[in-house]
């Protein structure tokens, strides 16, 4: 939930280009509101602001009476409601939410030393956002999104959490189409824009990889000469973005050309160790407790932005070394009984993150033990879906994964490709449901095994991962 900088009802109406209605209330145009802002009526607290947003399956206006009962001080609505509460009637409640957030950001910038970091990419946004929050909150009051609040609703709600004391805002910016990141950038006006990676995640929604590249590049195209673009030097789709921005570019990656680079990587079951070097030649050894070599790139992006914000490298490294989990359901290590390790990475999945998770599983295998990959569908891939599921099936075989359990019809091609590639005899099993997968894993796991659970959010396997983690705890 977000707390508005104190505004009068008249100011809110003007900011969102709405009409103020006070019928049946004791409020006046000069009444101040500074309560939390939400589109979820269940989150309303006394003095809060409820934004009634029409949705795909329901309409937030239906829940306005509940918001009033809980003490909402203001309703932002798209049509007047017969309720005894101040209302601002607007043409588009989501646009109004964005306008309100933009005004609050501007006011906080005018009053203090606010610095804003925007983060986008096909993978790693939430992890990088969380790492940055961990580093920056040691320096000063920091606001960053809850969970994956990164769309046209979640990002403004995060911005509305700013206060006059806030030093840093870390704004995660996602999109499902061209123009959406540009709108979020215009709301927040980042001082630093990070582009992590451009892959096939949500490519079906974007309409192809070229459109995905175009959308992600919106993070840096409007940056000013005084701003900084933090770009992935190892991603061939990100590198050309340097020509699209007026900002100074800081590169991160594993190669010598990167300004912020990692070397001497060592991957083990407790995380990844690497040496980071930053502009000026300063370096430090990082013992990073987040599992998976691919998360090193997220750490490098966070280091690059933090150093640009003036945080000493030693402080950045110390903060990162205290992080053991990027986010729930993201390479979350569970289990332990009978030396069985469960890695729950089923919050989301794309071809890139699925490949990275499988490679990590192979890397952390202990001598004499087995690896089991429980995999579900990678959603929103559009025309690429079939070939990408095929590719993951082949990769599982080539990495020597001991047992593959494929869950759900949406991922069945992965199972078939693994069988065709490896001519396996039961090493790949297909089941229809998470319950069947649970029974199969529990009945076949051996002491010392490492089990990865990975799928897109829509496949629901994150709960299977939790269940296996509890079973083997």
């Amino acid at each position: 939930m977000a707390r508005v900088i104190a505004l009068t009802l008249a100011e809110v109406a003007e900011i969102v280009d709405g009409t103020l209605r006070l019928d049946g209330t004791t409020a006046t145009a000069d009444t101040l509101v500074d309560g939390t802002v939400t589109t979820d009526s269940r989150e309303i607290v006394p003095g809060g602001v409820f934004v009634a947003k029409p949705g795909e399956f329901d309409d937030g206006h239906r829940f306005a009476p509940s918001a009033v009962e809980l003490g909402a001080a203001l309703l932002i609505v798209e049509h007047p409601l017969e309720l005894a509460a101040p209302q601002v009637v607007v043409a588009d409640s989501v646009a109004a939410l964005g306008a309100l957030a933009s005004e609050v950001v501007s006011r906080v910038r005018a009053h203090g030393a606010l610095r804003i970091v925007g983060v986008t990419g096909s993978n790693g946004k939430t992890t990088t956002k969380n790492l940055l929050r961990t580093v920056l909150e040691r320096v000063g009051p920091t606001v960053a999104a809850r969970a994956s609040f990164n769309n046209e609703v979640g990002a403004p709600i995060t911005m509305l959490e700013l206060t006059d004391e806030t030093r840093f805002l870390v704004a995660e910016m996602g999109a499902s189409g061209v123009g959406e990141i540009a709108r979020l950038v215009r709301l927040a006006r980042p001082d630093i824009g990070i582009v992590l990676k451009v892959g096939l995640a949500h490519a079906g929604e974007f309409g192809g990889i070229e459109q995905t590249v175009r959308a992600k590049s919106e993070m840096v195209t409007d940056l000013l000469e005084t701003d900084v673009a933090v770009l992935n030097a190892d991603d061939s789709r990100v590198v050309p973005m340097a020509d699209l921005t007026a900002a100074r570019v800081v590169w991160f990656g594993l190669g010598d050309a990167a300004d912020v680079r990692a070397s001497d990587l060592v991957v083990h079951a407790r995380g990844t160790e690497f040496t980071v070097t930053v502009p000026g030649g300063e370096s430090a050894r990082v013992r990073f407790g987040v599992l998976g070599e691919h998360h090193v790139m997220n750490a490098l992006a966070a280091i690059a932005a933090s150093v640009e914000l003036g945080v000493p490298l030693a402080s950045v490294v110390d903060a990162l070394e205290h992080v053991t989990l990027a986010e729930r359901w993201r390479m979350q290590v569970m289990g332990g009984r009978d030396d069985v390790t469960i890695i729950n990475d089923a919050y989301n999945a794309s071809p890139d993150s699925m490949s990275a998770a499988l490679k990590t599983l192979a890397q952390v295998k202990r001598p004499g033990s087995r690896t089991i990959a429980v995999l579900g569908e990678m959603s929103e891939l559009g025309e690429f879906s079939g070939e990408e599921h095929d590719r993951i099936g082949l990769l599982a075989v080539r990495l020597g994964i001991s047992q593959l359990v494929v869950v759900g019809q949406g991922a069945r091609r992965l199972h078939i490709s693994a069988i065709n590639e490896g001519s396996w005899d039961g090493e790949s099993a297909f089941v229809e449901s998470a319950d069947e997968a649970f029974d199969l894993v529990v009945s076949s796991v051996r002491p010392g095994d490492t089990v990865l659970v990975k799928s897109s959010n829509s496949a629901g396997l994150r709960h299977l991962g939790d269940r296996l983690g509890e079973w083997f705890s």
Side-chain angles (χ1 to χ4, degrees):
M1 293 178 288
R3 180 167 293 280
V4 171
I5 297 292
L7 300 167
T8 68
L9 292 175
E11 284 179 312
V12 173
E14 182 180 1
I15 290 165
V16 302
D17 193 22
T19 301
L20 178 62
R21 295 175 60 94
L22 300 173
D23 304 347
T25 76
T26 59
T28 70
D30 293 327
T31 298
L32 285 172
V33 289
D34 65 351
T36 55
V37 180
T38 182
T39 58
D40 188 338
S41 62
R42 296 167 297 183
E43 295 184 345
I44 283 290
V45 295
V49 178
F50 177 64
V51 181
K53 179 180 73 70
E56 183 178 355
F57 303 108
D58 212 333
D59 187 344
H61 293 79
R62 244 183 12 98
F63 303 98
S66 175
V68 173
E69 288 178 10
L70 291 172
L74 174 63
L75 307 177
I76 296 178
V77 296
E78 293 187 359
H79 53 79
L81 300 175
E82 296 299 322
L83 294 170
Q87 301 174 41
V88 173
V89 183
V90 297
D92 184 328
S93 59
V94 173
L97 179 65
L100 188 60
S102 183
E103 177 66 18
V104 166
V105 171
S106 296
R107 293 191 180 204
V108 175
R109 272 197 186 276
H111 294 159
L114 178 66
R115 302 295 300 280
I116 299 176
V117 183
V119 184
T120 197
S122 298
N123 306 106
K125 293 185 295 296
T126 300
T127 297
T128 303
K129 174 258 298 181
N130 288 341
L131 295 177
L132 275 166
R133 174 172 51 199
T134 300
V135 173
L136 297 176
E137 65 188 4
R138 292 185 171 199
V139 179
T142 300
V143 169
R146 290 179 287 142
S148 294
F149 273 33
N150 61 25
N151 62 9
E152 61 184 354
V153 174
I157 283 180
T158 299
M159 296 171 200
L160 284 166
E161 293 184 9
L162 296 176
T163 70
D164 283 330
E165 289 72 41
T166 304
R167 284 278 310 279
F168 304 105
L169 167 64
V170 185
E172 182 179 340
M173 298 181 178
S176 57
V178 172
E180 294 180 13
I181 292 175
R183 284 195 290 273
L184 298 180
V185 166
R186 285 193 289 270
L187 296 184
R189 295 294 179 187
D191 302 287
I192 298 177
I194 299 174
V195 183
L196 297 165
K197 187 176 183 63
V198 177
L200 290 176
H202 313 296
E205 287 187 330
F206 279 103
I209 191 64
E210 294 80 9
Q211 294 295 88
T212 306
V213 173
R214 181 181 169 193
K216 300 302 181 184
S217 69
E218 293 169 3
M219 173 59 75
V220 300
T221 50
D222 286 343
L223 293 180
L224 306 176
E225 291 183 4
T226 52
D227 297 330
V228 178
V230 176
L231 301 179
N232 185 345
D234 297 346
D235 190 319
S236 61
R237 297 188 180 109
V238 173
V239 170
M241 294 182 191
D243 297 328
L244 303 177
T245 184
R248 177 168 56 87
V249 175
V250 174
W251 300 101
F252 68 93
L254 304 182
D256 291 339
D259 301 301
V260 177
R261 62 186 180 278
S263 59
D264 302 322
L265 274 67
V266 178
V267 181
H268 47 70
R270 298 178 304 281
T272 308
E273 295 183 20
F274 61 94
T275 297
V276 62
T277 303
V278 299
E282 186 181 4
S283 64
R285 191 67 178 168
V286 184
R287 292 166 181 82
F288 190 44
V290 178
L291 185 63
E293 182 179 333
H294 54 296
H295 283 307
V296 170
M297 294 298 285
N298 301 327
L300 290 176
I303 292 169
S306 299
V307 170
E308 286 296 322
L309 290 169
V311 185
L313 179 60
S315 298
V316 178
V317 171
D318 184 65
L320 293 180
E321 290 189 337
H322 281 81
V323 178
T324 57
L325 177 64
E327 181 89 355
R328 187 181 179 190
W329 300 316
R330 287 177 168 90
M331 298 304 284
Q332 183 176 5
V333 179
M334 309 169 74
R337 179 167 57 86
D338 297 330
D339 207 21
V340 172
T341 300
I342 308 297
I343 303 172
N344 191 354
D345 193 34
Y347 183 83
N348 224 328
S350 67
D352 289 329
S353 67
M354 187 77 85
S355 298
L358 285 172
K359 290 174 183 175
T360 298
L361 179 63
Q363 287 174 322
V364 301
K365 179 182 182 294
R366 289 166 288 191
S369 65
R370 299 185 312 154
T371 51
I372 301 173
V374 184
L375 307 180
E377 181 181 10
M378 300 178 290
S379 61
E380 300 174 355
L381 293 179
E383 63 181 297
F384 303 103
S385 181
E387 64 187 76
E388 290 301 324
H389 282 89
D390 288 345
R391 188 173 67 82
I392 294 300
L394 302 182
L395 179 64
V397 176
R398 292 168 185 173
L399 288 173
I401 304 303
S402 309
Q403 176 72 55
L404 194 59
V405 178
V406 180
V407 187
Q409 286 293 332
R412 193 166 184 272
R413 276 188 63 163
L414 196 160
H415 165 67
I416 295 171
S417 295
I419 292 174
N420 291 341
E421 172 70 7
S423 299
W424 287 357
D425 182 16
E427 286 91 343
S428 182
F430 174 77
V431 296
E432 292 281 359
S433 69
D435 286 341
E436 291 176 85
F438 177 82
D439 293 339
L440 179 57
V441 172
V442 167
S443 65
S444 60
V445 76
R446 302 172 190 168
D449 284 354
T450 301
V451 182
L452 168 71
V453 182
K454 180 73 173 170
S455 74
S456 285
N457 202 347
S458 58
L461 296 195
R462 62 193 185 282
H463 302 302
L464 169 63
D466 285 343
R467 191 177 172 192
L468 288 169
E470 292 169 5
W471 182 267
F472 289 105
S473 65

